[in-house]
Amino acid sequence: PRCFYFAEREERCTPAGATASSYMSETVALSSQLSAATEPDTNAKSRGAVGTSSRRSTRIDANKRRAAMVDRVAKSVKRELKLLGSELQAWQQPKDPQQTARIQRECVKHFVTTQQQQRMREEAYPTAAAAAARLAKRLRNQSPCRPSVKPSRVHALSNIALRKETVPIMLHNSYQLAKVEPQERPPFVCVYINLASRVDRRESVEAQMAREGLHAWRLEAATVEQADPRIVSTTWNSSLNCKYDTRTLPATLTMSNGERGCSMSHAILWHACASSGDDTPMLILEDDAVLSPNFVARTRKLIARVEAAVPAEERTVLLYLGGDVMAWRKEEDALQLGYGLRECEYVYQTSSYILWPAAARKLLTLLPVDGPADVYLSRLLLERKLRALMCRPRLVCQAAPYENGDIDHTNIFA
């Protein structure tokens, strides 16, 4: 946070406990410096008439440097004061003392708030980086029941995930919650994916969460520039998908920018879930999700049912709260949990699903994501590398999933 700039790269800010009078004295001092520096130097002019040419050139250069410095300082001060809702003239000749005091208080408040946020981020980043390092080391350990993974992929994903503003703070928070008694922790962590340009969707999903009393983290959706080819492939084969979407033809297709960015966003959250400090599941929502009434209470019951039936180390399970099921698992091979839960093996849409850390760690061993996120996850379900449950009735639906979106779906239609 910056309040004013001074010459020679010197920065000064009002301390958190400064009073209005001390702050005003600095402002008046700055005004006097600026006015004194801008006055013509008459003595230098008279001395220059009798001085040598070398001295005249030296004084001219010094005056030019001083004039450039004054101009730079004045522009910086104007810009900073404009951010605080005032102009330079108002500070040089304050007419309304109450307005001046109000601006001073706002400046102090802004300084304190940004300092606290910076301190929180500085504390969170080492925690998150350590968690990512432990995760990478754990995934490298080869064993008969854990497939090996290329460390470069996990490292690349860690670097991208930790550059997201939300992820380090979210992981730091999860490690703090891990120290709390299990009965006092929240039953799940909620994160929603949102593009910076879709303010309308952000307002919609946040209004629904406020109605349900649900706290959620916002992950700014990844762009195609952030989609590392080691994590998200550039092409995908639709031969398997066309068996379930009979309108399409089998082909090797180039993934669109939107598909790669979407898959990368989900992979970042898989990494965050796998790096968390306990076995708390993560609810992943996309910003066009529409929540049903009494959403939180019903979701808690579904999570409790799954956790009661499946041990923590075996929860390589996805719990879909919404989506289009194209194929159900046969009854004799399916998990039987009741409470409206049924196992499925091919699902479209990833607008709302719950992921346990064991499943997230499994997903990281299966990188790269070689298709649209929903098709990729469905292929893993068919290969029995993961299991998925769908709740009935659905708790979430997607608002116009193939309209008014930002993703170009790649398919060849018959």
Side-chain angles (χ1 to χ4, degrees):
R2 301 187 299 270
C3 298
F4 293 105
Y5 283 94
F6 288 79
E8 303 296 333
R9 300 181 181 177
E10 180 183 359
E11 291 186 1
R12 295 183 185 177
C13 286
T14 301
T19 61
S21 59
S22 63
Y23 193 72
M24 192 60 199
S25 63
E26 285 197 16
T27 306
V28 173
L30 173 65
S31 302
S32 61
Q33 290 175 19
L34 289 178
S35 58
T38 53
E39 290 178 356
D41 192 348
T42 56
N43 295 330
K45 186 181 297 184
S46 62
R47 288 194 303 270
V50 296
T52 62
S53 59
S54 60
R55 291 181 180 177
R56 281 200 302 270
S57 62
T58 302
R59 281 195 295 272
I60 291 172
D61 293 341
N63 288 338
K64 286 183 178 179
R65 286 196 299 271
R66 182 173 58 183
M69 179 269 292
V70 170
D71 184 61
R72 185 169 64 254
V73 171
K75 287 181 179 179
S76 298
V77 172
K78 276 189 176 182
R79 183 171 63 252
E80 296 299 332
L81 289 177
K82 190 173 182 181
L83 293 175
L84 296 174
S86 177
E87 296 296 339
L88 181 61
Q89 187 67 21
W91 287 88
Q92 291 177 344
Q93 298 177 358
K95 297 180 180 180
D96 186 356
Q98 293 182 353
Q99 182 181 6
T100 303
R102 179 181 60 80
I103 295 175
Q104 293 166 358
R105 288 194 299 270
E106 289 179 359
C107 181
V108 173
K109 182 179 179 182
H110 171 76
F111 176 74
V112 173
T113 303
T114 51
Q115 284 288 93
Q116 291 174 346
Q117 292 174 348
Q118 181 66 19
R119 186 165 58 252
M120 178 181 291
R121 184 166 180 80
E122 289 174 355
E123 293 174 356
Y125 193 90
T127 303
R134 284 195 297 270
L135 173 65
K137 183 177 179 180
R138 178 167 41 184
L139 292 176
R140 283 199 301 271
N141 294 332
Q142 299 186 18
S143 68
C145 59
R146 180 186 293 131
S148 61
V149 61
K150 292 184 178 180
S152 61
R153 288 176 178 164
V154 178
H155 290 161
L157 181 56
S158 298
N159 291 334
I160 296 172
L162 293 178
R163 281 199 293 268
K164 291 289 186 180
E165 183 177 359
T166 305
V167 174
I169 300 176
M170 185 169 61
L171 289 178
H172 179 70
N173 187 63
S174 73
Y175 274 81
Q176 295 300 318
L177 288 175
K179 303 175 184 177
V180 180
E181 293 297 328
Q183 60 271 17
E184 298 180 3
R185 302 175 196 164
F188 60 90
V189 176
C190 182
V191 189
Y192 71 94
I193 303 170
N194 170 248
L195 273 172
S197 59
R198 295 307 301 265
V199 180
D200 56 333
R201 288 187 170 185
R202 178 178 181 178
E203 292 175 349
S204 173
V205 72
E206 288 183 350
Q208 296 179 68
M209 292 175 181
R211 181 195 69 201
E212 295 292 329
L214 176 63
H215 171 267
W217 299 92
R218 175 184 175 268
L219 176 74
E220 184 171 329
T223 60
V224 67
E225 290 79 13
Q226 298 169 327
D228 193 308
R230 292 172 293 180
I231 303 166
V232 179
S233 301
T234 57
T235 61
W236 71 289
N237 192 295
S238 63
S239 300
L240 177 62
N241 184 64
C242 69
K243 296 179 180 179
Y244 297 91
D245 188 352
T246 55
R247 303 169 300 165
T248 62
L249 297 175
T252 299
L253 305 169
T254 300
M255 293 178 65
S256 68
N257 293 346
E259 286 175 331
R260 296 192 68 216
C262 177
S263 296
M264 189 69 205
S265 300
H266 284 272
I268 288 172
L269 292 181
W270 300 343
H271 180 276
C273 182
S275 305
S276 61
D278 55 12
D279 295 319
T280 303
M282 177 181 290
L283 168 60
I284 299 175
L285 296 173
E286 294 178 353
D287 57 6
D288 57 349
V290 179
L291 309 183
S292 64
N294 202 21
F295 172 79
V296 175
R298 296 164 72 182
T299 302
R300 286 179 176 176
K301 291 180 180 178
L302 292 174
I303 291 174
R305 179 60 64 109
V306 174
E307 292 182 344
V310 184
E313 63 276 6
E314 299 177 10
R315 289 176 193 151
T316 54
V317 178
L318 303 180
L319 173 55
Y320 283 91
L321 304 182
D324 293 336
V325 178
M326 309 305 292
W328 297 96
R329 182 66 50 85
K330 293 181 179 179
E331 290 291 336
E332 56 270 21
D333 300 328
L335 291 170
Q336 304 293 337
L337 300 182
Y339 203 73
L341 294 172
R342 185 177 176 184
E343 189 170 358
C344 51
E345 63 180 17
Y346 210 91
V347 186
Y348 285 144
Q349 300 172 16
T350 52
S351 63
S352 54
Y353 62 96
I354 295 173
L355 180 71
W356 275 267
R361 290 191 287 269
K362 183 77 171 183
L363 282 167
L364 296 187
T365 68
L366 301 172
L367 295 174
V369 182
D370 56 358
D374 53 351
V375 175
Y376 171 74
L377 290 175
S378 294
R379 180 173 62 79
L380 298 182
L381 300 180
L382 283 172
E383 295 173 355
R384 304 293 182 95
K385 294 177 179 177
L386 292 174
R387 310 190 80 162
L389 298 166
M390 175 67 73
C391 69
R392 297 177 299 170
R394 295 182 298 179
L395 299 186
V396 179
C397 64
Q398 197 169 0
Y402 305 107
E403 302 171 7
N404 191 32
D406 301 278
I407 299 177
D408 294 328
H409 297 279
T410 53
N411 262 316
I412 298 178
F413 292 90

